[in-house]
Amino acid sequence: MNNNYPRINEEVVAILEAAKEEVTFEGTVLEGKERKYTVIKIVDLVKYNSEFALNEVAPFLDALLGNIEAGREKDGKKPFNSYVVINTDEPWIDEIVEVMKRNGAWD
């Protein structure tokens, strides 16, 4: 029986808190902005983790995502959102930022 879930939960909270303080956006169009999202590329997730690690974290991740889904529904929101992800090192990122600013989506 795996009894690491309480420890894993504490570690995830610590990682997320540390991520808020990281200067990950330095030198990009996001410099000075708060980190609001974490995007995980599925190909990288599989490529850089063992099957054992993925199997260990899957139930925990499934539970977290289920909690988010239920909470969003309780708040009257759609259970899932869809996003367009654009790397900030794309040569046309400034054009995207301008479009977002014009539409009030760049805070």
Side-chain angles (χ1 to χ4, degrees):
M1 179 173 158
N2 186 342
N3 62 358
N4 288 330
Y5 290 125
R7 180 187 57 77
I8 291 171
N9 190 37
E10 292 169 7
E11 288 177 3
V12 169
V13 169
I15 289 167
L16 293 175
E17 288 300 317
K20 286 182 183 178
E21 298 171 10
E22 273 184 37
V23 185
T24 56
F25 304 133
E26 191 172 335
T28 73
V29 295
L30 297 173
E31 189 165 339
K33 297 221 175 275
E34 176 186 355
R35 181 183 214 158
K36 293 169 54 175
Y37 304 97
T38 296
V39 176
I40 300 172
K41 187 175 175 181
I42 300 297
V43 172
D44 287 347
L45 181 68
V46 172
K47 181 178 180 179
Y48 299 117
N49 289 281
S50 69
E51 187 174 334
F52 174 78
L54 294 172
N55 288 336
E56 282 291 303
V57 78
F60 178 69
L61 185 57
D62 189 53
L64 287 176
L65 296 175
N67 292 341
I68 292 170
E69 179 183 345
R72 288 182 58 84
E73 286 180 323
K74 184 179 176 185
D75 289 344
K77 299 176 181 178
K78 294 186 296 184
F80 305 103
N81 272 344
S82 296
Y83 297 92
V84 173
V85 178
I86 303 167
N87 289 331
T88 58
D89 62 355
E90 296 291 352
W92 35 266
I93 191 66
D94 292 332
E95 295 175 58
I96 301 301
V97 170
E98 287 306 314
V99 169
M100 293 176 73
K101 284 180 180 177
R102 281 197 306 272
N103 289 282
W106 189 262
D107 49 15

